[in-house]
Amino acid sequence: MDSNRSPRSDSPPTDQATESPTAAHTTRRRLLAAGGATALAGLAGCMDIMNSIAGAILKDVNVLNGTNQEQSGSVTVVDPNGETQLSESFTVAPSDSDDEENTDEPSSTPAYGDVFTDAGEYTVTVDLDSAINETSSREASVTVDNTDDQHIIVGLGADGAPSPIEILVIDEFSDLADRFGDNA
């Protein structure tokens, strides 16, 4: 009997590898696929469906790299009660990376869950190891009203962004396109 089949099943063998439920990185391929699918769905009038898919991929805090170079640094998030909920180093691949075979770090998008404690004002601090357009750090206060459905986005070098390091709260993936136009 095939070792991948249970004794009571006629179903084909399955791949037993699963992603850890505490994985801190969303693969770049999954995020780009969601973004591409969002663009297509927007043309087809199905943006709600794509926002739902992207909502399942995004975590509380997400770091996106819009530059053509690998970026590394740290992100810290302090909750409305003044307690540090996140203090992590990250490395993220350039936006034009074509490395589809290797989806390990740094070809993934750093995403962190279980950061939000309560609705309110969060302070987000980003420090980069190398400056983007002479900017290597940024601190911003953002308001999270819905801890279940909102996401903090740290955008590094995004086209159309007013700052080389953008920190914003989105409700849906399509909010990035609204914020940065067609360049998101």
Side-chain angles (χ1 to χ4, degrees):
M1 174 178 275
D2 186 342
S3 64
N4 287 331
R5 291 185 188 205
S6 72
R8 294 183 181 170
S9 173
D10 291 329
S11 60
T14 58
D15 181 4
Q16 299 297 318
T18 59
E19 186 175 312
S20 164
T22 60
H25 295 283
T26 298
T27 64
R28 195 171 147 64
R29 180 182 290 178
R30 287 176 61 196
L31 189 60
L32 291 174
T38 298
L40 290 175
L43 295 173
C46 298
M47 190 59 76
D48 290 340
I49 294 169
M50 294 321 307
N51 281 329
S52 294
I53 293 170
I57 294 172
L58 295 174
K59 303 226 184 223
D60 290 349
V61 178
N62 306 271
V63 181
L64 306 177
N65 186 3
T67 72
N68 61 1
Q69 297 177 346
E70 180 178 283
Q71 298 294 328
S72 59
S74 64
V75 59
T76 303
V77 179
V78 177
D79 71 11
N81 302 315
E83 296 182 24
T84 300
Q85 294 299 318
L86 176 69
S87 183
E88 292 287 336
S89 296
F90 63 83
T91 299
V92 61
S95 64
D96 62 354
S97 176
D98 290 328
D99 186 10
E100 293 295 326
E101 293 300 315
N102 182 4
T103 57
D104 294 333
E105 291 182 69
S107 297
S108 56
T109 300
Y112 308 96
D114 299 322
V115 176
F116 299 151
T117 54
D118 297 309
E121 189 172 290
Y122 286 77
T123 302
V124 181
T125 305
V126 178
D127 291 306
L128 298 177
D129 295 340
S130 298
I132 301 172
N133 296 335
E134 300 178 14
T135 300
S136 61
S137 66
R138 175 126 192 253
E139 180 173 294
S141 293
V142 296
T143 301
V144 174
D145 296 320
N146 184 333
T147 59
D148 292 329
D149 296 330
Q150 290 184 312
H151 314 279
I152 294 175
I153 302 294
V154 175
L156 306 177
D159 288 340
S163 170
I165 303 172
E166 271 299 294
I167 301 169
L168 61 136
V169 174
I170 64 169
D171 292 306
E172 300 176 326
F173 198 68
S174 58
D175 292 345
L176 289 175
D178 293 343
R179 174 77 182 244
F180 300 119
D182 292 335
N183 297 321

